Short mmCIF file of all heavy atoms in Angstrom, two decimals:
data_model
loop_
_atom_site.label_atom_id
_atom_site.label_comp_id
_atom_site.label_asym_id
_atom_site.label_seq_id
_atom_site.Cartn_x
_atom_site.Cartn_y
_atom_site.Cartn_z
N ARG A 1 121.59 87.22 96.72
CA ARG A 1 122.62 87.99 96.03
C ARG A 1 123.30 88.98 96.97
O ARG A 1 124.49 89.26 96.83
CB ARG A 1 122.00 88.75 94.84
CG ARG A 1 123.00 89.47 93.95
CD ARG A 1 122.34 90.09 92.73
NE ARG A 1 121.14 90.84 93.01
CZ ARG A 1 121.14 92.09 93.48
NH1 ARG A 1 122.26 92.71 93.72
NH2 ARG A 1 119.99 92.70 93.70
N LYS A 2 122.58 89.45 97.97
CA LYS A 2 123.11 90.42 98.92
C LYS A 2 123.78 89.77 100.13
O LYS A 2 124.18 90.46 101.06
CB LYS A 2 122.00 91.35 99.38
CG LYS A 2 121.47 92.23 98.26
CD LYS A 2 120.30 93.07 98.72
CE LYS A 2 119.80 93.96 97.60
NZ LYS A 2 118.60 94.70 98.02
N THR A 3 123.91 88.45 100.12
CA THR A 3 124.49 87.72 101.25
C THR A 3 125.98 87.53 101.06
O THR A 3 126.42 87.03 100.02
CB THR A 3 123.79 86.34 101.39
OG1 THR A 3 122.39 86.56 101.61
CG2 THR A 3 124.36 85.56 102.55
N ASN A 4 126.75 87.93 102.06
CA ASN A 4 128.21 87.77 102.03
C ASN A 4 128.57 86.29 101.87
O ASN A 4 128.06 85.45 102.62
CB ASN A 4 128.83 88.34 103.30
CG ASN A 4 130.34 88.34 103.24
OD1 ASN A 4 130.93 88.63 102.21
ND2 ASN A 4 130.96 87.99 104.35
N GLY A 5 129.41 85.98 100.92
CA GLY A 5 129.81 84.60 100.65
C GLY A 5 129.15 84.02 99.42
O GLY A 5 129.59 82.99 98.89
N VAL A 6 128.07 84.66 98.95
CA VAL A 6 127.42 84.24 97.71
C VAL A 6 128.19 84.87 96.56
O VAL A 6 128.42 86.07 96.53
CB VAL A 6 125.93 84.65 97.68
CG1 VAL A 6 125.33 84.43 96.30
CG2 VAL A 6 125.14 83.88 98.72
N THR A 7 128.61 84.03 95.61
CA THR A 7 129.42 84.52 94.49
C THR A 7 128.62 84.71 93.21
O THR A 7 129.03 85.45 92.33
CB THR A 7 130.61 83.58 94.23
OG1 THR A 7 130.09 82.27 93.94
CG2 THR A 7 131.54 83.52 95.44
N ASN A 8 127.45 84.04 93.12
CA ASN A 8 126.61 84.20 91.93
C ASN A 8 125.21 83.66 92.23
O ASN A 8 125.06 82.73 93.02
CB ASN A 8 127.20 83.43 90.74
CG ASN A 8 126.49 83.76 89.44
OD1 ASN A 8 126.33 84.93 89.09
ND2 ASN A 8 126.07 82.74 88.72
N THR A 9 124.23 84.25 91.58
CA THR A 9 122.86 83.75 91.66
C THR A 9 122.28 83.68 90.25
O THR A 9 122.57 84.54 89.41
CB THR A 9 121.96 84.67 92.51
OG1 THR A 9 121.99 85.99 91.97
CG2 THR A 9 122.40 84.69 93.97
N THR A 10 121.47 82.66 90.02
CA THR A 10 120.78 82.51 88.74
C THR A 10 119.38 82.02 89.06
O THR A 10 119.21 81.04 89.79
CB THR A 10 121.48 81.46 87.85
OG1 THR A 10 122.85 81.83 87.71
CG2 THR A 10 120.83 81.38 86.48
N VAL A 11 118.37 82.68 88.50
CA VAL A 11 117.00 82.22 88.71
C VAL A 11 116.59 81.32 87.56
O VAL A 11 117.07 81.45 86.43
CB VAL A 11 116.00 83.38 88.91
CG1 VAL A 11 116.34 84.17 90.16
CG2 VAL A 11 115.92 84.28 87.69
N GLY A 12 115.71 80.37 87.91
CA GLY A 12 115.26 79.43 86.89
C GLY A 12 114.15 78.55 87.41
O GLY A 12 113.46 78.89 88.38
N TYR A 13 114.04 77.40 86.78
CA TYR A 13 112.95 76.46 87.06
C TYR A 13 113.55 75.08 87.29
O TYR A 13 114.46 74.65 86.58
CB TYR A 13 111.99 76.42 85.87
CG TYR A 13 111.70 77.79 85.31
CD1 TYR A 13 112.21 78.19 84.07
CD2 TYR A 13 110.95 78.72 86.03
CE1 TYR A 13 111.96 79.46 83.56
CE2 TYR A 13 110.71 80.00 85.53
CZ TYR A 13 111.22 80.35 84.30
OH TYR A 13 110.99 81.61 83.80
N SER A 14 113.00 74.37 88.27
CA SER A 14 113.50 73.03 88.57
C SER A 14 112.40 72.22 89.25
O SER A 14 111.45 72.78 89.81
CB SER A 14 114.72 73.14 89.49
OG SER A 14 115.43 71.93 89.51
N GLY A 15 112.56 70.91 89.19
CA GLY A 15 111.65 70.01 89.90
C GLY A 15 110.46 69.54 89.12
O GLY A 15 109.60 68.84 89.66
N GLY A 16 110.38 69.88 87.85
CA GLY A 16 109.23 69.48 87.05
C GLY A 16 109.59 68.50 85.96
O GLY A 16 110.69 67.96 85.92
N TRP A 17 108.65 68.27 85.07
CA TRP A 17 108.85 67.27 84.02
C TRP A 17 109.02 67.88 82.63
O TRP A 17 109.50 67.22 81.73
CB TRP A 17 107.68 66.28 84.00
CG TRP A 17 106.35 66.95 84.13
CD1 TRP A 17 105.60 67.49 83.12
CD2 TRP A 17 105.63 67.19 85.31
NE1 TRP A 17 104.45 68.05 83.62
CE2 TRP A 17 104.44 67.88 84.99
CE3 TRP A 17 105.85 66.90 86.65
CZ2 TRP A 17 103.50 68.28 85.92
CZ3 TRP A 17 104.91 67.30 87.59
CH2 TRP A 17 103.76 67.98 87.22
N MET A 18 108.67 69.13 82.45
CA MET A 18 108.80 69.76 81.13
C MET A 18 110.25 70.19 80.90
O MET A 18 110.86 70.81 81.77
CB MET A 18 107.87 70.96 81.02
CG MET A 18 107.99 71.70 79.69
SD MET A 18 106.94 73.16 79.61
CE MET A 18 105.59 72.48 78.66
N LYS A 19 110.77 69.88 79.74
CA LYS A 19 112.12 70.31 79.36
C LYS A 19 112.05 71.73 78.83
O LYS A 19 111.13 72.08 78.08
CB LYS A 19 112.72 69.38 78.29
CG LYS A 19 112.92 67.96 78.77
CD LYS A 19 114.03 67.88 79.79
CE LYS A 19 114.28 66.45 80.20
NZ LYS A 19 115.06 66.34 81.41
N ASN A 20 113.03 72.55 79.21
CA ASN A 20 113.16 73.92 78.73
C ASN A 20 111.88 74.75 78.84
O ASN A 20 111.44 75.36 77.87
CB ASN A 20 113.66 73.92 77.28
CG ASN A 20 114.99 73.24 77.16
OD1 ASN A 20 115.93 73.57 77.89
ND2 ASN A 20 115.09 72.27 76.26
N PRO A 21 111.28 74.78 80.03
CA PRO A 21 110.05 75.56 80.17
C PRO A 21 110.33 77.06 80.09
O PRO A 21 111.42 77.52 80.40
CB PRO A 21 109.56 75.18 81.58
CG PRO A 21 110.84 74.92 82.32
CD PRO A 21 111.73 74.25 81.31
N THR A 22 109.32 77.78 79.69
CA THR A 22 109.38 79.24 79.73
C THR A 22 108.64 79.71 80.98
O THR A 22 107.93 78.93 81.64
CB THR A 22 108.68 79.86 78.50
OG1 THR A 22 107.27 79.53 78.56
CG2 THR A 22 109.28 79.34 77.21
N TYR A 23 108.78 80.97 81.28
CA TYR A 23 108.05 81.55 82.41
C TYR A 23 106.55 81.35 82.22
O TYR A 23 105.83 80.98 83.16
CB TYR A 23 108.38 83.04 82.53
CG TYR A 23 107.70 83.73 83.67
CD1 TYR A 23 108.06 83.47 84.99
CD2 TYR A 23 106.69 84.66 83.43
CE1 TYR A 23 107.44 84.10 86.05
CE2 TYR A 23 106.06 85.30 84.49
CZ TYR A 23 106.44 85.03 85.79
OH TYR A 23 105.81 85.67 86.83
N GLU A 24 106.08 81.56 81.01
CA GLU A 24 104.65 81.40 80.72
C GLU A 24 104.22 79.95 80.96
O GLU A 24 103.13 79.70 81.49
CB GLU A 24 104.34 81.83 79.29
CG GLU A 24 104.40 83.32 79.07
CD GLU A 24 105.83 83.88 79.00
OE1 GLU A 24 106.79 83.12 78.71
OE2 GLU A 24 105.98 85.09 79.28
N ASP A 25 105.06 78.99 80.59
CA ASP A 25 104.76 77.57 80.84
C ASP A 25 104.63 77.31 82.34
O ASP A 25 103.67 76.68 82.80
CB ASP A 25 105.87 76.66 80.29
CG ASP A 25 105.98 76.64 78.78
OD1 ASP A 25 104.96 76.85 78.10
OD2 ASP A 25 107.10 76.42 78.29
N VAL A 26 105.61 77.77 83.10
CA VAL A 26 105.64 77.52 84.54
C VAL A 26 104.44 78.17 85.22
O VAL A 26 103.86 77.61 86.16
CB VAL A 26 106.98 77.97 85.14
CG1 VAL A 26 106.97 77.85 86.66
CG2 VAL A 26 108.12 77.14 84.56
N CYS A 27 104.04 79.34 84.74
CA CYS A 27 102.89 80.05 85.34
C CYS A 27 101.57 79.32 85.15
O CYS A 27 100.60 79.61 85.84
CB CYS A 27 102.79 81.46 84.76
SG CYS A 27 104.03 82.58 85.43
N THR A 28 101.51 78.34 84.24
CA THR A 28 100.28 77.58 84.05
C THR A 28 100.05 76.60 85.20
O THR A 28 98.96 76.03 85.30
CB THR A 28 100.29 76.78 82.73
OG1 THR A 28 101.31 75.77 82.81
CG2 THR A 28 100.50 77.69 81.53
N ASP A 29 101.09 76.39 86.03
CA ASP A 29 100.99 75.47 87.16
C ASP A 29 100.80 74.02 86.69
O ASP A 29 100.22 73.21 87.39
CB ASP A 29 99.86 75.90 88.10
CG ASP A 29 99.99 75.36 89.51
OD1 ASP A 29 101.11 75.00 89.91
OD2 ASP A 29 98.97 75.29 90.22
N THR A 30 101.28 73.72 85.48
CA THR A 30 101.12 72.37 84.93
C THR A 30 102.45 71.70 84.59
O THR A 30 102.45 70.57 84.11
CB THR A 30 100.24 72.39 83.66
OG1 THR A 30 100.89 73.19 82.67
CG2 THR A 30 98.85 72.91 83.96
N THR A 31 103.58 72.37 84.80
CA THR A 31 104.88 71.82 84.43
C THR A 31 105.55 71.07 85.57
O THR A 31 106.53 70.36 85.34
CB THR A 31 105.84 72.93 83.97
OG1 THR A 31 106.18 73.75 85.10
CG2 THR A 31 105.24 73.77 82.85
N GLY A 32 105.07 71.28 86.79
CA GLY A 32 105.68 70.67 87.95
C GLY A 32 106.90 71.42 88.47
O GLY A 32 107.42 71.10 89.53
N HIS A 33 107.34 72.43 87.75
CA HIS A 33 108.54 73.18 88.15
C HIS A 33 108.23 74.18 89.26
O HIS A 33 107.12 74.70 89.36
CB HIS A 33 109.13 73.93 86.96
CG HIS A 33 109.81 73.05 85.99
ND1 HIS A 33 110.98 72.39 86.26
CD2 HIS A 33 109.47 72.69 84.72
CE1 HIS A 33 111.34 71.67 85.22
NE2 HIS A 33 110.43 71.83 84.26
N ALA A 34 109.26 74.43 90.05
CA ALA A 34 109.24 75.51 91.03
C ALA A 34 110.11 76.64 90.49
O ALA A 34 111.08 76.39 89.78
CB ALA A 34 109.80 75.03 92.37
N GLU A 35 109.74 77.86 90.83
CA GLU A 35 110.64 78.98 90.58
C GLU A 35 111.75 78.86 91.63
O GLU A 35 111.47 78.77 92.83
CB GLU A 35 109.92 80.32 90.75
CG GLU A 35 108.95 80.62 89.64
CD GLU A 35 108.42 82.05 89.69
OE1 GLU A 35 109.00 82.90 90.40
OE2 GLU A 35 107.41 82.31 89.02
N VAL A 36 112.99 78.84 91.19
CA VAL A 36 114.11 78.61 92.10
C VAL A 36 115.23 79.61 91.85
O VAL A 36 115.29 80.25 90.79
CB VAL A 36 114.68 77.17 91.98
CG1 VAL A 36 113.62 76.14 92.34
CG2 VAL A 36 115.24 76.90 90.59
N VAL A 37 116.10 79.69 92.83
CA VAL A 37 117.35 80.42 92.66
C VAL A 37 118.48 79.42 92.89
O VAL A 37 118.47 78.67 93.86
CB VAL A 37 117.47 81.65 93.58
CG1 VAL A 37 117.39 81.27 95.05
CG2 VAL A 37 118.74 82.42 93.30
N GLN A 38 119.40 79.39 91.93
CA GLN A 38 120.58 78.57 92.09
C GLN A 38 121.69 79.49 92.60
O GLN A 38 121.97 80.53 91.99
CB GLN A 38 120.97 77.91 90.77
CG GLN A 38 121.91 76.76 90.96
CD GLN A 38 121.93 75.87 89.73
OE1 GLN A 38 122.57 76.21 88.74
NE2 GLN A 38 121.23 74.75 89.81
N VAL A 39 122.25 79.13 93.72
CA VAL A 39 123.21 79.96 94.43
C VAL A 39 124.59 79.31 94.35
O VAL A 39 124.74 78.14 94.69
CB VAL A 39 122.79 80.12 95.91
CG1 VAL A 39 123.80 80.93 96.68
CG2 VAL A 39 121.40 80.72 96.01
N GLU A 40 125.57 80.07 93.92
CA GLU A 40 126.95 79.64 94.01
C GLU A 40 127.56 80.39 95.19
O GLU A 40 127.33 81.61 95.34
CB GLU A 40 127.70 79.95 92.72
CG GLU A 40 127.17 79.15 91.54
CD GLU A 40 127.80 79.57 90.23
OE1 GLU A 40 129.01 79.87 90.21
OE2 GLU A 40 127.06 79.61 89.23
N TYR A 41 128.28 79.66 96.04
CA TYR A 41 128.77 80.27 97.27
C TYR A 41 130.13 79.71 97.65
O TYR A 41 130.51 78.62 97.22
CB TYR A 41 127.77 80.09 98.41
CG TYR A 41 127.57 78.64 98.82
CD1 TYR A 41 128.19 78.13 99.96
CD2 TYR A 41 126.77 77.78 98.08
CE1 TYR A 41 128.02 76.81 100.35
CE2 TYR A 41 126.59 76.46 98.45
CZ TYR A 41 127.22 75.98 99.59
OH TYR A 41 127.05 74.68 99.96
N ASP A 42 130.82 80.47 98.47
CA ASP A 42 132.12 80.07 98.98
C ASP A 42 131.91 79.49 100.38
O ASP A 42 131.63 80.24 101.32
CB ASP A 42 133.06 81.27 99.03
CG ASP A 42 134.44 80.93 99.54
OD1 ASP A 42 134.65 79.82 100.09
OD2 ASP A 42 135.33 81.78 99.40
N PRO A 43 132.03 78.17 100.55
CA PRO A 43 131.75 77.56 101.85
C PRO A 43 132.73 77.97 102.95
O PRO A 43 132.43 77.81 104.13
CB PRO A 43 131.82 76.06 101.57
CG PRO A 43 132.65 75.93 100.35
CD PRO A 43 132.43 77.17 99.54
#
């Protein structure tokens, strides 16, 4: 978020098999998801 050229950041979950996981779900280490940041940027 503090990097010049980044226009937006959103944190979430990706890479797993559970649909619409919650933080509590992901913390069980059983959803396959990683905690991620999706970055929108100006190339």
Side-chain angles (χ1 to χ4, degrees):
R1 186 174 48 80
K2 294 176 179 175
T3 301
N4 186 40
V6 170
T7 59
N8 190 52
T9 57
T10 306
V11 297
Y13 318 108
S14 196
W17 44 85
M18 178 183 260
K19 296 290 183 196
N20 300 308
T22 65
Y23 181 70
E24 288 75 22
D25 293 331
V26 174
C27 285
T28 66
D29 201 21
T30 61
T31 68
H33 287 291
E35 288 190 15
V36 298
V37 60
Q38 197 162 78
V39 178
E40 294 174 38
Y41 65 101
D42 180 347

